């Protein structure tokens, strides 16, 4: 082709009302013309007057965008489709004015009680420019196939029990969700939260062995985030359990 796109637009994840630019750059043998298109649900349409390399957007709803570039010889190419994800639950004016696009968690996963064999879904969401990528962890171990906002296990096993959290990252940094416990029961009653908490207290009232309390803090008000406190807590937890300790691990 006589036209080469040298800078593709990038997907973003922003609060409603946020203003930003989508950029597209191309090179060709003649002068080039640009035209932006958007798609909402199944409706794809040309954006009137959007004929510049940069497309100004005030985020109102989640949509897809692409840019067509053509030259004087009727050659044409399209940029990648990119997603502008708009979080309606985040108030206008947020994040703060000094936000550089680093990931900001807007939805944390919640604790789950699931019977073995049933599906498990954990969900999180983050804002970011560019849009963050996601990586889930269980007990500090990376889950290679779980790289989306939603973690989905079709048929759970008891071994799927554990503490889950997700890392949202982009070129500006990373941010972790809260850690949540997932309880998978097999042929037994799944305790609701209140009864589970009562049993937890009963166990520790009756405990007579060695108990270790591990606290991993990653969010500090006046100090940069640590490199890997979550992984450190789980590694140390396994070591102490081998030494005969009952271990309680807390995060943030």
């Amino acid at each position: 082709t006589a036209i080469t796109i040298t800078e593709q637009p990038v997907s973003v994840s922003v609060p409603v009302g946020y203003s930003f630019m989508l950029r597209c750059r191309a090179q060709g043998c003649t002068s080039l013309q640009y035209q932006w298109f958007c798609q909402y649900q199944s409706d794809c349409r040309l954006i009137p007057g959007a004929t510049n390399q940069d497309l100004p957007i005030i985020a109102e709803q989640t949509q897809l965008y692409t840019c067509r570039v053509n030259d004087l010889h009727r050659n044409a190419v399209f940029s990648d489709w990119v997603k502008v994800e708009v979080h309606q639950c985040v108030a206008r004016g947020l994040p703060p004015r000094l936000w550089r696009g680093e990931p900001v968690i807007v939805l944390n996963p919640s604790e789950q009680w699931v019977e073995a064999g049933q599906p498990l879904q954990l969900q999180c969401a983050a804002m970011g420019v560019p849009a963050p990528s996601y990586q889930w962890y269980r007990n500090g171990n990376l889950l290679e196939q779980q790289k989306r906002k939603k973690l989905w296990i079709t048929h759970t096993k008891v071994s799927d029990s554990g503490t889950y959290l997700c890392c949202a990252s982009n070129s500006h940094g990373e941010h972790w969700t809260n850690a949540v416990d997932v309880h998978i029961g097999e042929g037994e009653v799944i305790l609701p939260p209140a009864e589970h908490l009562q049993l937890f207290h009963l166990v520790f009232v009756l405990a007579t062995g060695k108990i270790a309390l591990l606290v991993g803090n990653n969010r500090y008000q006046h100090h940069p985030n640590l490199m890997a406190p979550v992984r450190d807590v789980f590694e140390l937890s396994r070591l102490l359990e081998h030494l005969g300790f009952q271990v309680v691990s807390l995060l943030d």
Side-chain angles (χ1 to χ4, degrees):
T1 179
I3 305 172
T4 302
I5 294 183
T6 57
E7 182 180 350
Q8 295 279 3
V10 297
S11 297
V12 301
S13 182
V14 296
V16 63
Y18 187 76
S19 300
F20 63 98
M21 292 276 191
L22 287 180
R23 294 168 50 89
C24 181
R25 297 290 186 272
Q27 292 179 344
C29 298
T30 70
S31 61
L32 301 176
Q33 297 174 326
Y34 293 78
Q35 177 62 60
W36 289 88
F37 296 78
C38 69
Q39 178 176 327
Y40 176 67
Q41 296 179 346
S42 60
D43 180 28
C44 180
R45 61 182 178 84
L46 176 150
I47 304 175
T51 56
N52 295 323
Q53 296 174 319
D54 297 334
L55 175 66
I57 294 177
I58 300 176
E60 296 297 339
Q61 61 185 5
T62 298
Q63 295 188 112
L64 300 175
Y65 292 84
T66 187
C67 184
R68 183 188 67 202
V69 186
N70 61 274
D71 62 16
L72 300 181
H73 300 303
R74 297 186 178 179
N75 296 309
V77 296
F78 281 85
S79 73
D80 295 339
W81 281 95
V82 295
K83 184 177 184 179
V84 174
E85 182 181 34
V86 180
H87 295 278
Q88 303 289 344
C89 60
V90 180
R92 292 176 184 269
L94 293 176
R97 294 169 60 184
L98 295 180
W99 186 51
R100 300 172 300 163
E102 64 273 14
V104 176
I105 301 295
V106 296
L107 176 64
N108 278 288
S110 57
E111 191 171 8
Q112 301 286 326
W113 279 260
V114 180
E115 187 176 348
Q118 296 301 308
L120 167 67
Q121 177 178 287
L122 295 174
Q123 186 172 357
C124 71
M127 299 185 301
V129 180
S133 58
Y134 296 87
Q135 178 61 65
W136 287 88
Y137 294 78
R138 182 183 68 243
N139 296 340
N141 298 312
L142 182 146
L143 299 174
E144 188 64 40
Q145 305 302 319
Q146 302 290 353
K147 296 179 180 293
R148 300 188 177 186
K149 289 186 296 183
K150 291 184 180 180
L151 177 148
W152 177 258
I153 299 175
T154 306
H155 301 288
T156 55
K157 306 182 294 294
V158 173
S159 59
D160 293 320
S161 297
T163 301
Y164 287 73
L165 76 170
C166 186
C167 178
S169 62
N170 64 12
S171 56
H172 296 291
E174 64 181 29
H175 205 163
W176 295 74
T177 66
N178 294 339
V180 297
D181 290 329
V182 171
H183 313 271
I184 312 294
E186 185 175 43
E188 60 187 29
V189 177
I190 303 297
L191 294 173
E195 295 176 16
H196 184 80
L197 188 61
Q198 292 172 1
L199 180 60
F200 178 85
H201 288 304
L202 178 61
V203 168
F204 280 92
V205 167
L206 298 177
T208 58
K210 297 178 291 185
I211 300 174
L213 172 63
L214 300 178
V215 181
N217 286 329
N218 191 45
R219 299 190 182 100
Y220 291 91
Q221 185 174 2
H222 302 295
H223 191 282
N225 287 353
L226 302 180
M227 290 296 293
V230 175
R231 179 176 293 275
D232 292 344
V233 164
F234 285 112
E235 290 294 333
L236 189 55
S237 174
R238 282 202 292 264
L239 175 62
L240 289 170
E241 286 173 350
H242 285 311
L243 296 175
F245 283 80
Q246 291 178 289
V247 180
V248 180
S249 299
L250 302 175
L251 301 174
D252 292 318

